[in-house]
Amino acid sequence: MSWRFSELPPQDGYHMVTSFVSVADYVSRGGKNTLMLFYSKEPFVNVGVHQEVWLEVDLDYTKSHNIPVVRRDLGGGTVVITPGEHDYFLVINQNEVPGEPSKLYSKYLSPIVDVLKDYGINATLRDQDIVVNGKKISGNGAMTYEKAVVITGNILLSLDVDLISKCIRVPSEKFRDKMAKDMRDWLTSLENELGYTPSREELNRKIKEKYESELGIKFESSQLTPEEIELWNKLAEEKRNEEWTYYRDNRHPDLRTERCVKISSSVALCHLDYKARKLLRITIKIVNKKLQEVSISGDFFIMSPNGFLDYLEDKLTGIDPNEISKKIDEVFTEKKPVIFGFTKEDLEIAFQKIIEKPEIQEVI
């Protein structure tokens, strides 16, 4: 089977997060499966599609240092992308990939694991991440787009923990110091593991060879088509729009709290962070014993259907809090979402916990 293999020059953040969309459009229309390799030419903060920026990013720091905040179309958590990464993007016809996320990651990330092992590194796949002796050296995500499945990921060549920690929102500077220490404890890089950084050319060659041998495919080196580049530039420009960057924030401007507060005898506002396989962040506003507004965010992945989270929030709005689990069951049965990071049961438990908060119980 023949795939395209494309090595591209370094890109800005807006082009980094949109490259695979134009290629997914190409693959969906019958084009060849594609592996792209390139990296960021400047630091930027990359926010997951299901996250609220204000909860995740230190906007005072990023704005004062002209560091772009870019919302991607993929789930997962907020990451700070620097030129110290080496990024790969696989775009594959959806009829050729496993439907179960864990099998998808296992099949298409194993070649990256083996590239690292070739350097004598004890790399293993853990969920959608690649770790070395328990420390993450590669973060990955997946999504469906039209008739294609996109897998994106990176290999950390070097780490700038100081910059990363300053871009992430934290409750205090003491906490930031702890976070920086924790990052050094749970992140690693090729530089840390090897004492040097391999060349990108060498990495590209090894990545190409591993995918060919392990997937039984043959690559043909190719540039993107003019149509792909035109769409790519258009999409990158759209990502600069603040309406997109702050889409989740602006969807729920009245739910910006990390506490539970009883506002009056009939109104309460409450936030809960719930750790399932991934983080669920739920904020609700109760007015006259009804859910007036609901926000669900976090670092999970929703493979399909598109727009599921907005649809779920809208369906929960206006109902009696005691009907939440029933409504969640109905929506999951109707839409049959493919989610990596939490289950329907996790979501029901998280809502039950927030409803049990004293501030909420006092108004319902």
Side-chain angles (χ1 to χ4, degrees), residues 93-344:
N93 186 297
Q94 66 179 0
N95 295 325
E96 301 176 24
V97 303
E100 185 180 327
S102 60
K103 292 180 180 178
L104 177 79
Y105 289 128
S106 178
K107 179 175 181 177
Y108 292 106
L109 294 180
S110 291
I112 300 296
V113 172
D114 290 335
V115 167
L116 297 173
K117 285 182 176 179
D118 271 1
Y119 286 103
I121 294 173
N122 181 30
T124 56
L125 184 63
R126 186 176 66 191
D127 295 333
Q128 81 276 24
D129 295 330
I130 299 172
V131 299
V132 177
N133 300 322
K135 293 186 175 186
K136 185 163 79 170
I137 196 169
S138 169
N140 303 273
M143 69 173 288
T144 55
Y145 182 87
E146 295 182 352
K147 297 177 182 178
V149 171
V150 179
I151 302 161
T152 75
N154 60 67
I155 298 171
L156 294 176
L157 304 186
S158 60
L159 276 171
D160 189 342
V161 169
D162 184 57
L163 174 67
I164 295 170
S165 65
K166 287 177 179 177
C167 291
I168 302 300
R169 185 173 183 267
V170 294
S172 68
E173 288 306 308
K174 184 177 180 181
F175 189 95
R176 193 184 307 281
D177 292 341
K178 180 181 183 303
M179 182 177 67
K181 179 183 180 301
D182 288 345
M183 278 194 285
R184 291 186 177 94
D185 290 340
W186 58 262
L187 288 176
T188 190
S189 66
L190 284 177
E191 184 178 50
N192 288 344
E193 297 298 322
L194 302 175
Y196 71 96
T197 302
S199 73
R200 296 183 191 271
E201 293 75 19
E202 179 179 278
L203 278 171
N204 287 355
R205 176 178 55 78
K206 286 180 175 289
I207 290 169
K208 181 179 181 181
E209 291 172 354
K210 291 297 182 185
Y211 274 102
E212 283 187 325
S213 63
E214 297 185 23
L215 297 185
I217 61 177
K218 184 66 178 176
F219 281 122
E220 58 179 45
S221 294
S222 172
Q223 297 303 310
L224 303 187
T225 66
E227 292 79 12
E228 286 173 287
I229 293 172
E230 181 181 1
L231 178 57
W232 185 9
N233 288 333
K234 176 177 177 290
L235 293 169
E237 194 60 34
E238 290 175 355
K239 284 291 181 284
R240 296 178 186 274
N241 191 326
E242 287 198 352
E243 287 184 12
W244 165 252
T245 304
Y246 298 99
Y247 161 66
R248 296 295 304 171
D249 303 57
N250 294 336
R251 180 171 161 82
H252 302 291
D254 297 330
L255 298 188
R256 295 193 181 184
T257 183
E258 293 181 270
R259 302 183 299 132
C260 286
V261 182
K262 179 183 175 184
I263 298 171
S264 71
S265 60
S266 61
V267 180
L269 187 63
C270 194
H271 176 89
L272 175 79
D273 283 351
Y274 180 79
K275 189 71 168 102
R277 198 168 189 176
K278 290 289 185 177
L279 180 65
L280 275 166
R281 307 187 101 165
I282 297 173
T283 311
I284 63 172
K285 187 176 184 180
I286 302 287
V287 178
N288 295 325
K289 301 184 178 181
K290 300 287 185 182
L291 276 174
Q292 187 191 66
E293 194 172 357
V294 180
S295 170
I296 304 169
S297 65
D299 59 359
F300 44 82
F301 298 84
I302 300 180
M303 300 278 291
S304 65
N306 290 333
F308 175 75
L309 203 59
D310 288 0
Y311 184 82
L312 175 61
E313 290 178 346
D314 290 343
K315 285 294 184 180
L316 291 171
T317 301
I319 70 171
D320 186 302
N322 295 317
E323 298 293 314
I324 290 174
S325 289
K326 178 182 177 183
K327 184 59 68 174
I328 290 173
D329 284 339
E330 289 176 3
V331 172
F332 272 67
T333 299
E334 175 192 358
K335 293 295 186 179
K336 298 178 175 57
V338 179
I339 298 172
F340 185 83
F342 72 89
T343 64
K344 175 175 69 70

Side-chain angles (χ1 to χ4, degrees), residues 58-83:
D58 188 328
L59 291 170
D60 289 338
Y61 181 83
T62 57
K63 288 178 180 178
S64 65
H65 288 78
N66 297 315
I67 298 173
V69 176
V70 184
R71 179 185 296 278
R72 62 185 182 270
D73 290 300
L74 281 167
T78 294
V79 291
V80 181
I81 306 297
T82 74

